[in-house]
Amino acid sequence: MTGKPSLRDYIDRYAAGEIPRDEALAAIAAWDFEEEWFDPAHTAPTHQDNTLAVVAQARALGKLAPEDVEVIREHLRRRGI
């Protein structure tokens, strides 16, 4: 555990309706993303909480709508990510 807030938990709170959409999408796009660990010998997910893969997973699980992801992507493009 890194001691940082969990993006996965934040998205879960958004999906539960605890955080307004505009606020949540701006916060997700401004998140302090970590570099994803990669070990070619280990094919299972890393279960990291603060990577861009968490956003993709949330989309696949229906926690973020396609429109949400597009807004996040636009914010990330402006950040140069």
Side-chain angles (χ1 to χ4, degrees):
M1 189 67 160
T2 64
K4 293 181 180 181
S6 168
L7 176 59
R8 190 181 316 273
D9 291 343
Y10 189 84
I11 291 172
D12 286 346
R13 289 180 49 221
Y14 166 63
E18 296 176 22
I19 304 168
R21 182 177 188 265
D22 291 341
E23 177 185 331
L25 300 183
I28 292 167
W31 208 266
D32 181 19
F33 294 104
E34 297 172 355
E35 188 173 329
E36 191 165 1
W37 304 327
F38 178 72
D39 180 354
H42 189 248
T43 58
T46 63
H47 302 291
Q48 286 177 272
D49 281 343
N50 295 308
T51 66
L52 288 171
V54 171
V55 175
Q57 180 186 45
R59 168 59 191 103
L61 293 173
K63 295 178 181 182
L64 291 172
E67 299 82 14
D68 294 342
V69 175
E70 284 306 313
V71 170
I72 293 166
R73 283 182 180 154
E74 181 55 35
H75 283 282
L76 290 173
R77 277 192 282 273
R78 284 189 236 138
R79 279 181 59 191
I81 295 177

